[in-house]
Amino acid sequence: MSHVIRPATEAELPAVGALIAQSFDDLEQNRSLVPDPQSRLRVMSGFFTLLTEHAPLCGKVDVIDAPAGGLAAAAVWFDRTHEMPEIPHYDERLAALAGEWLPHFHALDELFDKHHPVEPHWHLAFLAVHPDHQSRGLGGALMDSTHQDLGGTAAYLEATNEDNIRLYRRYGYTDMMPFDIRMPDDTPFYRMWRA
């Protein structure tokens, strides 16, 4: 089955942030960032929206529509083949979103900055499929679409668990060294590269 992939509109970017938060809600990494289950979805939706709204300026946001309306899946990419502009007022906006969990987000930013590859590449920041639409090939379709556009340009991502490590390996990603990078509370991320 072929899936229609299209760029997200500017008005849809908050919905993309919410979709990412919902599809990542059971991940250990989201629980590490916002331990309170009552606040997690709200805070993470805001955080993912903050990053997603920046992507069209220096990358892209692709989506697949759900048959009954809304979004079924999204991919947020950043073009790191050249210097990436800063997110305007990032620190203030993050502080307003994260509240008491701001140190967790600072630790995440430090971890990712320290281990981000310097070689030119496109960064798959988020690949999210709504829980109602998983296991239908939507994530793979989103990756294939961008991989074809990239030609010979490399791609990079941080995976979160064994299931998505397996998925990314199927689409040509290999483990980087160091592979396993960890937050101060020992929550892992896994660095992967597609040459």
Side-chain angles (χ1 to χ4, degrees):
M1 177 180 174
S2 71
H3 304 288
V4 177
I5 295 167
R6 62 174 180 82
T9 67
E10 188 176 350
E12 288 175 315
L13 298 177
V16 173
L19 167 68
I20 298 166
Q22 187 172 10
S23 65
F24 289 11
D25 195 46
D26 63 341
L27 292 179
E28 175 185 2
Q29 291 77 6
N30 278 27
R31 292 195 303 269
S32 166
L33 288 166
V34 183
D36 173 23
Q38 304 304 314
S39 305
R40 187 179 306 128
L41 213 50
R42 173 183 54 78
V43 174
M44 295 309 297
S45 290
F47 175 64
F48 293 135
T49 298
L50 175 61
L51 300 179
T52 297
E53 287 177 339
H54 192 56
L57 308 173
C58 46
K60 65 178 189 159
V61 180
D62 288 336
V63 295
I64 297 174
D65 294 306
L71 301 176
V76 178
W77 293 86
F78 289 99
D79 178 0
R80 301 294 291 259
T81 60
H82 47 71
E83 193 67 29
M84 219 173 77
E86 296 287 320
I87 297 176
H89 309 293
Y90 176 75
D91 291 335
E92 299 93 323
R93 293 164 73 191
L94 181 62
L97 279 170
E100 67 186 280
W101 300 293
L102 184 61
H104 299 186
F105 288 89
H106 282 162
L108 178 73
D109 286 344
E110 285 172 26
L111 181 72
F112 280 8
D113 288 348
K114 178 182 175 186
H115 292 286
H116 205 100
V118 295
E119 299 88 346
H121 63 278
W122 274 65
H123 178 204
L124 177 55
F126 310 115
L127 180 68
V129 180
H130 188 282
D132 293 346
H133 300 284
Q134 290 176 359
S135 303
R136 298 181 191 174
L138 303 185
L142 284 163
M143 280 191 287
D144 273 344
S145 170
T146 294
H147 293 158
Q148 288 168 17
D149 293 344
L150 292 183
T153 304
Y156 169 74
L157 57 84
E158 298 99 355
T160 52
N161 59 42
E162 286 297 329
D163 288 342
N164 58 41
I165 289 168
R166 278 194 296 275
L167 170 71
Y168 295 133
R169 284 179 179 151
R170 284 206 307 271
Y171 286 86
Y173 288 84
T174 57
D175 306 356
M176 294 184 77
M177 291 299 130
F179 178 50
D180 174 331
I181 59 174
R182 291 186 178 252
M183 295 278 281
D185 68 357
D186 215 35
T187 301
F189 289 89
Y190 304 95
R191 302 165 72 239
M192 302 190 77
W193 184 259
R194 186 179 189 273

